């Protein structure tokens, strides 16, 4: 990517804006930026009016999906995601940056290796995807602390407010991250077009009365501007409430946006759509709240998160399925949404402890692209129909949403129609037809009364239209297809394009439906492919009307120079519209696409197309033997070349090129994990009498730095007071017995789904009976706490990130609390973490983790030979390591999973961490679930080479624990065009100085 001009340019642009006014308010320097209407002075690349954004002067709808680079830590796979998003017809991706991963130690910003954003920007640009940057500082995102590093729990001020201590804590991060983003702005030749400061600054609680605080928001915005951000600032209100919308005073953003999750996050009843959950007032709210900006939904439900013990992501994918796409997303189009970002389009993985306690390792989210980057969910295909339609329909942005009605445009009150009306009778209009009871599963027959040719009733040639259950349709009027006016169409539009000698329009409907379209000024039609049965046509006035019953076999109807391709929905799912380039570079412009795209019928995925001489190169992925057809190729194209292989190509009478790609699943073998030579050590040496904890951190602060949670113990036992915020913690409390102690009670916290185990000396407390204390002797309490991450910080005052982790309180009967002297550990070094490559959160405080044994090539020669399938027979934590080689064929994308099984349906409780080449890629809790299968991407796993895996097995039951099963499994291999997946750095074990 060329980021030719740099900084200087951005700075100049900012200077040129010139009109910024600074003044002091409550001790802060506040800059009021110019009126939005004048923002073109900051830069001329991204502008807007009330209807849409313009990029380089082109009006376009931004259809976007959310992707978090940090949830797929293999940079060479980012292009795969971008190409799969681009293939949907989308043109944008929104991303968060997770502060907790890049400034774990205050003042030390580190964003290299897998945390470097530049390869993400490069991949977006290569795929032709614009970016919305959302670096926070607060992001939420179901990540630990909502993106706040653990040390923010020590900030003496309310988080997300103007409290100076909080604002100061954000300065270093934002200065760095915003400068990195600034360099990749479109103004500097990069892909980033929008910047979102803060996230959901929507509500406050617990005594924060100055809310919303424009001074605070302005500070956050100034941080970005001062770091060189010149593109427009967009907000993300948690609901359409108008916070920070232009015109609301200091702290207002340029473009107002909000989010919406109408079906919520409980996936346990995936077929139930509760009544009243379809948004119907978005447009009227927008007109009240931000009439001068393009209507923007910065996050719209693309799936759902799922907590520990939840119902699993398959259920979420079912709740938020292809029907949800049809009904809810098309409904948003009735509000003339001009920026719509689906959260998430690809969820990814909460590897290495990066998640918050309300989620487990998988962050699949039930999204269109699954965690293993697979696109077989039907919602992906449904979205592709919608994304490609919007891409070729710029006229939509010029309409005005009208009132929804059940009488004006339809024949039945079972349906409700929202018109999007063009500015005059010959301009494009759109009619969004839905069930009045949005969740209805009934099929409803109707006729349409559209304001064309004297308010005719459609279908004009007889028959009825049908809206199936849980469906919603967009009917077009005066739709421009490269100069041909489609007077109306009830069949939905997938795409259209101009060819060398005419035009192509692709329409689809469901089998069993009848449709009709009218072409202005046309006189006759002929069926040039497929059966003409069920197709009628008639000239009415100056238009030619064509009616058809949807059939599963393709029909092509020629009307003058317009070729109309009639498909059923399932067939349409197999079509793709890559832009044709001569040099492999994809580009961005939608206008360009309609002139230079090709329509490809293939199967699983088409990524790119380019014409080189008479060779039509297509890069595509296959999961079955497939006939590839290319429709609308330039007449110079003679041969189809798929993934650099020239195929026997035929051309039919209609100029459609076709060739066949053979798929034969490769044979490969996986090791049986059970039969590998496992080596093992006890990773809880702390409970042995000989254990020396002199190198541990003394938990000796008689105060806490946690301003939201006073301590109840003589010294603070909050982990973040001592720099520990990730993974397992271990506490050791020693006391000299007075002989009269009879009980020890304690209260710990590790977040939702956490667990703890405790020992006195070597005795597991769960199995301890009666007093064993001898006066004058020293006893050591060891408490292991599974920390599931820090809580999110939902708004000013909630202070969730400060919810303490560790021991909150304890009593030792007969003694005062200070009889116990505490020490603790978490990951080795705490905020001075050891593993700069895998980042600050990846390892916790178990002995084997502190030593670095979870990495490749641990010093296991002297360890016991024992396996996690045999396990342990008493409470404790055992560590296992082994290695195996993979030799998977190149040119295949083979999704791999580690699949855990229990030996019985109610196993003794245990907790496992799975490390793959040193990356913690799974946390399994036998008695909570729901996750049992853990996808691990290529790049973390070495597909051609050695892999080291390690497990920590924490038996919480006195009788120990063992794995019922653990297998490496794959799903259907995909023959892929994706090349060059590189393994990320996997530093191997090296003796760590100072490790204890
Ligand atoms: C939004 C928030 C996101 C994410 C989402 C739920 O409100 O902005 O960061 O938490 O909810 O997945």
């Amino acid at each position: 990517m060329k980021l030719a001009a740099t900084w200087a340019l951005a700075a100049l642009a900012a200077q040129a804006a010139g009109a910024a006014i600074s003044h002091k308010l409550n001790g802060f320097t506040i800059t009021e930026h110019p009126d939005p209407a004048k923002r073109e002075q900051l830069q001329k690349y991204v502008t807007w009016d009330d209807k849409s954004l313009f990029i380089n002067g082109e009006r376009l709808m931004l259809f976007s999906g959310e992707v978090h680079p940090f949830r797929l830590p293999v940079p060479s796979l980012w292009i795969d995601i971008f190409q799969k998003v681009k293939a949907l017809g989308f043109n944008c991706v929104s991303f968060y940056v997770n502060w907790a991963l890049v400034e774990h130690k205050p003042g030390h910003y580190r964003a290299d290796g897998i945390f470097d954003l530049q390869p993400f920007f490069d991949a977006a640009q290569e795929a032709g995807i614009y970016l919305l940057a959302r670096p926070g500082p607060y992001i939420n995102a179901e990540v630990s602390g909502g993106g706040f590093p653990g040390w923010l729990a020590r900030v003496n001020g309310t988080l997300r407010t103007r409290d100076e201590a909080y604002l100061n804590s954000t300065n270093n991060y934002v200065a760095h991250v915003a400068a990195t983003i600034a360099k990749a702005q479109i103004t500097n030749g990069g892909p980033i077009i929008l910047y979102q400061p803060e996230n959901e600054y929507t509500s406050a609680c617990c005594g924060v009365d100055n809310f919303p605080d424009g001074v605070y928001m302005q500070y956050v915005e100034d941080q970005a501007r001062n770091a060189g951000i010149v593109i427009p600032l967009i907000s993300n209100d948690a609901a359409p409430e108008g916070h920070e919308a232009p015109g609301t005073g200091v702290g207002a953003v340029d473009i107002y946006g909000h989010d919406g999750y109408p079906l919520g996050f409980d996936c346990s009843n995936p077929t139930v759509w509760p009544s009243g959950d379809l948004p119907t007032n978005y447009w009227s709210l927008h007109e009240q709240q931000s009439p001068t900006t393009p209507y923007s939904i910065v996050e719209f439900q693309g799936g759902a998160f799922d907590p520990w013990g939840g119902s699993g992501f398959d259920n979420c994918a079912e709740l938020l399925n292809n029907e949800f796409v049809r009904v809810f997303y098309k409904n948003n189009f009735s509000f003339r949404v001009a920026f719509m970002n689906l959260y998430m389009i690809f969820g990814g993985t909460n590897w290495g402890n990066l998640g918050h306690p309300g989620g487990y390792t998988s962050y699949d989210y039930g999204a269109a692209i699954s965690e293993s980057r697979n696109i077989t969910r039907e919602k992906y295909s449904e979205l592709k129909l919608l994304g490609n339609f919007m891409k070729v329909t710029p006229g939509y942005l010029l309409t005005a949403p009208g009132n929804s009605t059940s009488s004006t445009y339809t024949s039945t009150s079972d349906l409700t129609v929202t018109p999007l009306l063009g500015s005059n009778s010959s301009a494009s209009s759109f009619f969004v037809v839905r069930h009045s009871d949005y969740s209805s599963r009934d099929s409803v027959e109707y006729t349409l009364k559209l304001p064309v040719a004297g308010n005719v009733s459609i279908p004009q040639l007889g028959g009825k239209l049908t809206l199936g259950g849980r469906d919603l349709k967009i009917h077009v009027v005066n739709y421009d297809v490269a100069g041909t006016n489609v007077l109306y169409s009830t069949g939905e539009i997938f795409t259209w394009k101009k060819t060398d000698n005419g035009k192509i329009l692709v329409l689809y409907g469901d089998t069993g439906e009848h449709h009709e379209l009218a072409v202005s000024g046309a006189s006759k039609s002929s069926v040039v492919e497929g059966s003409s049965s069920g197709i009628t046509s008639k000239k009415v006035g100056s238009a030619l009307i064509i009616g058809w019953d949807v059939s599963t076999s393709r029909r092509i109807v020629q009307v003058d120079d317009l070729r109309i391709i009639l498909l059923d929905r399932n067939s349409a799912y197999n079509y793709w519209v890559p832009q044709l380039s001569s040099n492999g570079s994809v580009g961005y412009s939608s206008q360009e696409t309609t002139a230079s795209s090709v329509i490809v019928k293939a199967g699983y995925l088409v990524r790119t197309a380019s014409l080189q001489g008479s060779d039509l190169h297509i890069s595509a992925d296959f999961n079955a033997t497939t006939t590839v057809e290319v429709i609308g190729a330039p007449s110079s194209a003679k041969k189809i070349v798929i993934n650099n292989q020239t195929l026997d190509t035929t051309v039919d009478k209609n100029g459609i090129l076709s060739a066949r790609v053979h798929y034969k699943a490769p044979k490969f073998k996986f090791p049986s994990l059970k039969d590998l030579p496992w080596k093992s050590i006890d990773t809880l040496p702390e409970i042995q009498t000989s254990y020396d904890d002199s190198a541990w951190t003394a938990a000796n602060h008689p105060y806490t730095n946690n301003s939201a949670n006073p301590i109840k113990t003589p010294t603070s036992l909050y982990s973040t007071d001592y720099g520990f915020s990730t993974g397992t913690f271990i506490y050791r409390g020693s006391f000299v017995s007075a002989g009269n102690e009879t009980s020890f009670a304690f209260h710990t916290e590790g977040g939702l789904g956490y667990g703890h185990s405790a020992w006195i000396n070597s005795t597991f407390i769960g199995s301890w009976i009666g007093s064993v204390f001898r006066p004058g002797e020293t006893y050591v309490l060891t408490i292991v706490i599974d920390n599931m991450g820090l809580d999110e910080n939902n708004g000013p005052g909630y202070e969730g990130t400060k919810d303490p982790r560790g021991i909150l309180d304890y009593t030792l009967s007969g003694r005062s609390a200070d009889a116990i002297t505490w020490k603790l550990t978490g990951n080795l070094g705490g905020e001075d973490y050891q593993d700069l490559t895998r980042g600050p959160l990846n390892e916790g405080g178990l002995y084997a983790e502190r030593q670095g044994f979870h990495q490749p090539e641990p010093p296991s020669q002297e360890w016991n030979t024992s396996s996690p399938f045999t396990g342990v027979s008493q409470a404790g934590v055992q560590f296992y390591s082994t290695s195996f080689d993979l030799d998977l064929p190149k040119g295949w994308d083979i999704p791999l999973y580690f699949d855990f099984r229990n030996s019985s349906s109610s196993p003794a409780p245990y907790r496992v961490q799975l490390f793959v080449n040193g990356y913690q890629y799974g946390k399994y809790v036998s008695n909570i679930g729901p996750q049992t299968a853990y996808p691990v991407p290529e790049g973390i796993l070495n597909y051609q080479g050695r892999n080291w895996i390690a497990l920590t097995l924490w038996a919480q039951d006195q009788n120990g624990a063992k794995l019922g099963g653990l297998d490496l499994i794959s799903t259907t291999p995909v023959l892929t065009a994706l090349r060059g997946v590189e393994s990320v750095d996997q530093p191997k074990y090296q003796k760590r100085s100072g490790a204890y």
Side-chain angles (χ1 to χ4, degrees):
M1 164 159 98
K2 277 187 230 109
L3 291 181
T6 48
W7 238 158
L9 204 123
L12 274 179
Q15 247 175 34
I21 309 158
S22 292
H23 55 107
K24 292 262 183 204
L25 196 54
N26 300 338
F28 289 95
T29 305
I30 294 306
T31 312
E32 280 189 52
H33 285 283
D35 184 270
K38 298 187 188 126
R39 287 299 312 284
E40 275 183 56
Q41 293 170 333
L42 272 184
Q43 46 78 38
K44 60 183 191 302
Y45 302 84
V46 188
T47 56
W48 68 93
D49 64 10
D50 59 324
K51 299 184 178 59
S52 78
L53 283 124
F54 297 80
I55 300 197
N56 291 320
E58 182 190 4
R59 182 185 286 291
L60 83 180
M61 191 240 157
L62 285 163
F63 209 156
S64 171
E66 182 86 10
V67 176
H68 299 152
F70 57 86
R71 280 183 159 124
L72 178 62
V74 183
S76 54
L77 285 175
W78 291 337
I79 186 70
D80 183 49
I81 303 295
F82 283 122
Q83 288 183 335
K84 285 170 177 165
V85 172
K86 180 78 175 181
L88 290 169
F90 285 28
N91 49 13
C92 190
V93 155
S94 157
F95 68 98
Y96 280 137
V97 186
N98 187 350
W99 178 10
L101 289 169
V102 291
E103 197 191 6
H104 191 64
K105 180 178 175 180
H108 294 253
Y109 180 87
R110 174 181 284 277
D112 51 8
I114 56 174
F115 304 109
D116 184 4
L117 290 168
Q118 191 58 45
F120 189 72
F121 303 155
D122 293 346
Q125 191 133 15
E126 185 184 339
I129 290 282
Y130 293 120
L131 295 173
L132 158 60
R134 309 200 301 152
Y138 185 71
I139 60 171
N140 213 57
E142 290 74 70
V143 292
S144 180
F148 284 159
W151 55 269
L152 257 70
R154 298 196 298 273
V155 163
N156 187 15
T158 305
L159 308 181
R160 305 178 68 188
T161 69
R162 68 165 81 174
D163 278 358
E164 204 159 354
Y166 170 68
L167 295 181
N168 288 340
S169 75
T170 64
N171 288 341
N172 185 51
Y173 167 64
V174 182
H176 280 93
V177 77
T180 302
I181 291 167
K183 281 191 203 141
Q185 290 176 110
I186 191 169
T187 52
N188 290 334
I192 303 175
I193 54 164
L194 290 167
Y195 182 101
Q196 182 197 301
E198 251 287 358
N199 185 62
E200 297 190 320
Y201 185 65
T202 303
S203 66
C205 101
C206 321
V208 171
D209 44 16
N210 184 14
F211 185 87
D213 182 4
V215 171
Y216 162 71
M217 266 311 291
Q218 191 62 56
Y219 186 92
V220 179
E221 291 163 25
D222 286 351
Q223 282 179 313
R225 291 285 183 226
N226 294 338
I229 298 297
V230 296
I231 48 177
L233 304 181
I234 191 165
S235 60
N236 178 36
D237 214 353
E241 294 178 10
H243 295 107
E244 309 118 46
T248 54
V250 173
V253 290
D254 298 317
I255 299 174
Y256 174 74
H258 67 85
D259 63 23
Y261 291 85
L263 288 190
F265 303 100
D266 178 358
C267 305
S268 55
N269 294 303
T271 57
V272 179
W273 289 1
S275 67
D277 279 2
L278 186 78
T280 52
N281 59 354
Y282 277 0
W283 177 250
S284 58
L285 291 175
H286 172 71
E287 291 226 281
Q288 289 158 30
Q289 294 166 352
S290 194
T292 60
T293 60
Y295 181 47
S296 302
I297 309 182
V298 175
E299 288 176 26
F300 194 78
Q301 184 148 31
F305 58 74
D306 193 47
W308 287 103
S311 61
F313 284 119
D314 287 346
N315 270 16
C316 297
E318 191 183 339
L319 177 69
L320 294 323
N321 64 0
N322 52 309
E323 292 173 332
F324 177 81
V325 167
R326 266 184 234 167
V327 173
F328 283 81
Y329 300 168
K330 287 186 191 172
N331 183 60
N332 285 345
F333 288 115
S334 74
F335 311 124
R336 205 188 64 202
V337 64
F339 178 91
M340 181 159 83
N341 178 48
L342 304 181
Y343 186 105
M344 302 292 299
I345 197 76
F346 165 76
T349 308
N350 292 325
W351 64 278
N353 302 308
L354 71 80
H356 79 146
Y360 40 94
T361 305
S362 176
Y363 196 68
D364 175 272
Y365 216 80
I369 305 174
S370 78
E371 184 180 6
S372 54
R373 297 175 289 102
N374 196 290
I375 50 170
T376 47
R377 286 181 177 148
E378 188 170 348
K379 66 192 285 187
Y380 180 91
S381 301
E382 192 65 54
L383 255 185
K384 181 176 53 162
L385 301 184
L386 193 54
N388 279 290
F389 169 55
M390 295 318 296
K391 181 173 179 176
V392 297
T393 309
Y396 152 84
L397 295 168
L398 300 175
T399 60
N403 291 332
S404 302
T405 153
S406 288
S407 56
T408 318
Y409 305 107
T410 47
S411 51
T412 164
S413 61
D414 288 342
L415 301 181
T416 298
V417 181
T418 311
L420 289 158
L421 297 169
S423 58
N424 59 55
S425 60
S426 56
S428 295
S429 294
F430 300 82
F431 295 84
V432 182
V433 181
R434 65 175 166 86
H435 289 277
S436 299
D437 165 10
Y438 86 98
S439 69
S440 168
R441 290 191 178 282
D442 296 338
S443 247
V444 175
E445 291 197 330
Y446 63 107
T447 54
L448 261 182
K449 287 176 274 175
L450 293 185
V452 284
N455 282 331
V456 292
S457 175
I458 295 165
Q460 296 194 68
L461 306 187
K464 289 271 190 191
L465 304 173
T466 316
L467 185 70
R470 296 219 169 157
D471 198 0
L472 188 152
K473 287 188 193 293
I474 302 180
H475 299 315
V476 303
V477 162
N478 287 323
Y479 189 83
D480 178 44
V481 177
T484 294
N485 187 45
V486 173
L487 193 57
Y488 63 82
S489 171
T490 67
E492 289 190 278
I493 294 170
F494 171 51
T495 190
W496 59 267
K497 70 171 265 75
K498 227 166 119 78
T499 64
D500 290 353
N501 49 12
K503 302 143 192 179
I504 297 175
L505 170 65
V506 184
L507 302 175
Y508 66 94
D510 273 313
T511 36
E513 287 177 0
H514 179 75
H515 285 290
E516 202 173 89
L517 119 159
V519 182
S520 300
S523 49
K524 60 176 185 347
S525 65
S526 58
V527 177
V528 298
E529 185 189 294
S531 156
S532 56
S533 141
I535 301 182
T536 50
S537 78
K538 189 177 170 191
K539 181 102 185 166
V540 176
S542 62
L544 185 72
I545 319 289
I546 297 168
W548 74 98
D549 296 331
V550 175
S551 150
T552 52
S553 52
R554 180 172 75 197
R555 278 94 65 83
I556 303 181
V557 181
Q558 183 84 38
V559 178
D560 298 341
D561 68 345
L562 176 67
R563 200 158 264 205
I564 304 168
I565 302 187
L566 304 177
L567 301 173
D568 69 296
R569 182 189 303 278
N570 282 336
S571 304
Y573 285 166
N574 290 323
Y575 285 72
W576 305 84
V577 198
Q579 187 181 318
L580 197 57
S581 67
S582 52
N583 58 4
S585 125
V586 175
Y588 291 104
S589 162
S590 60
Q591 308 301 336
E592 200 185 322
T593 303
T594 52
S596 62
S597 58
V598 279
I599 299 166
V600 180
K601 174 175 181 284
Y604 182 74
L605 170 68
V606 172
R607 296 172 186 269
T608 61
S610 66
L611 187 62
Q612 295 167 25
S614 60
D615 288 347
L616 189 71
H617 283 256
I618 292 174
S619 69
D621 290 19
F622 301 88
N623 61 4
T625 294
T626 306
T627 299
V628 176
E629 291 178 279
V630 182
I631 305 175
S635 39
S636 55
K638 303 289 179 225
K639 286 268 180 206
I640 295 179
V641 183
I642 303 263
N643 303 341
N644 296 324
Q645 281 210 309
T646 307
L647 302 181
D648 285 342
T649 307
T650 56
V651 185
D652 76 0
K653 65 176 171 43
N654 294 315
I656 298 176
L657 281 69
S658 59
R660 200 157 165 81
V661 174
H662 291 277
Y663 172 96
K664 188 160 180 281
K667 290 208 178 359
F668 48 82
K669 278 214 287 271
F670 292 135
S672 154
L673 301 185
K674 194 167 183 169
D675 298 328
L676 293 174
W678 290 87
K679 293 290 221 163
S680 154
I681 47 161
D682 173 18
T683 186
L684 198 63
E686 289 85 357
I687 60 173
Q688 287 155 22
T689 38
S690 56
Y691 186 78
D692 173 10
D693 66 10
S694 54
W696 286 42
T697 303
N700 59 3
H701 300 181
Y703 57 87
T704 178
N705 287 313
N706 186 322
S707 57
N709 297 282
I711 49 172
K712 296 180 183 149
T713 47
T715 59
S716 169
L717 298 178
Y718 295 166
S719 64
T720 47
D721 274 335
Y722 303 96
F724 299 115
S725 57
T726 185
T728 311
F729 304 136
I730 307 179
Y731 284 79
R732 284 171 62 80
S734 64
F735 63 96
V736 178
S737 174
N740 61 345
E741 303 87 355
T742 54
S743 68
F744 174 67
F746 61 103
H747 177 191
T748 60
E749 182 54 271
L752 183 72
Y754 89 107
H756 69 225
S757 297
W759 286 259
I760 290 184
N761 292 346
S762 303
T763 310
F764 182 50
I765 288 189
S767 58
W768 175 55
I769 33 166
S771 166
V772 293
F773 296 120
R774 282 192 291 275
E777 225 167 81
T778 301
Y779 291 88
V780 180
L781 291 149
T782 299
I783 301 179
V784 183
I785 302 175
D786 195 7
N787 159 42
M788 315 302 270
L790 304 180
D791 285 317
E792 292 176 321
N793 208 83
N794 290 325
Y798 289 91
E799 300 290 79
T801 303
K802 293 181 180 173
D803 280 352
R805 296 288 179 263
I807 298 174
L808 306 189
D809 201 2
Y810 64 89
T811 50
L812 181 64
S813 65
R815 304 293 302 276
S816 69
D818 60 7
I820 306 182
T821 312
W822 290 97
K823 290 190 164 186
L824 84 164
T825 190
N827 65 303
L828 185 66
E831 285 161 14
D832 255 322
Y833 58 101
Q834 300 287 306
D835 187 344
L836 302 183
T837 302
R838 299 181 186 89
L841 303 186
N842 186 60
E843 59 193 53
L846 291 172
Y847 169 73
E849 294 177 278
R850 299 186 322 248
Q851 298 293 326
F853 294 161
H854 56 286
Q855 302 178 100
E857 299 180 30
S860 56
Q861 298 76 8
E862 305 299 312
W863 298 359
N864 291 336
T865 300
S866 89
S867 107
F869 303 91
T870 326
V872 288
S873 55
Q874 58 185 20
V877 196
Q878 194 72 14
F879 179 80
Y880 301 91
S881 168
T882 191
S883 67
F884 58 84
D885 292 339
L886 287 178
D887 185 17
L888 300 182
K890 292 201 169 164
W892 290 86
D893 191 358
I894 305 173
L896 296 187
Y897 301 75
F898 286 86
D899 196 31
F900 284 84
R901 276 190 318 282
N902 285 317
S903 40
S904 74
S905 54
S906 54
Y910 62 90
R911 291 167 182 257
V912 176
Q913 294 183 96
L914 164 71
F915 291 91
V916 179
N917 294 316
Y919 290 82
Q920 196 256 61
Y921 240 85
K923 190 155 168 164
Y924 173 67
V925 182
S926 67
N927 57 320
I928 299 183
Q931 190 176 6
T932 54
Y934 293 76
V936 179
E938 180 174 3
I940 296 294
L941 271 169
N942 304 316
Y943 275 27
Q944 293 93 27
R946 174 133 315 171
N947 292 281
W948 286 86
I949 56 172
L951 297 175
T952 57
L953 174 65
W954 173 359
Q956 292 187 277
D957 185 86
Q958 57 182 328
N959 296 320
K962 64 176 181 187
L963 296 185
L966 176 64
D967 291 300
L968 187 59
I969 52 173
S970 74
T971 49
T972 310
V974 175
L975 180 63
T976 186
L978 184 68
R979 292 286 178 274
V981 179
E982 286 167 29
S983 286
V984 294
D985 281 351
Q986 300 164 357
K988 56 188 185 199
Y989 168 78
Q990 279 189 325
K991 194 168 167 45
R992 292 178 170 181
S993 80
Y996 45 86

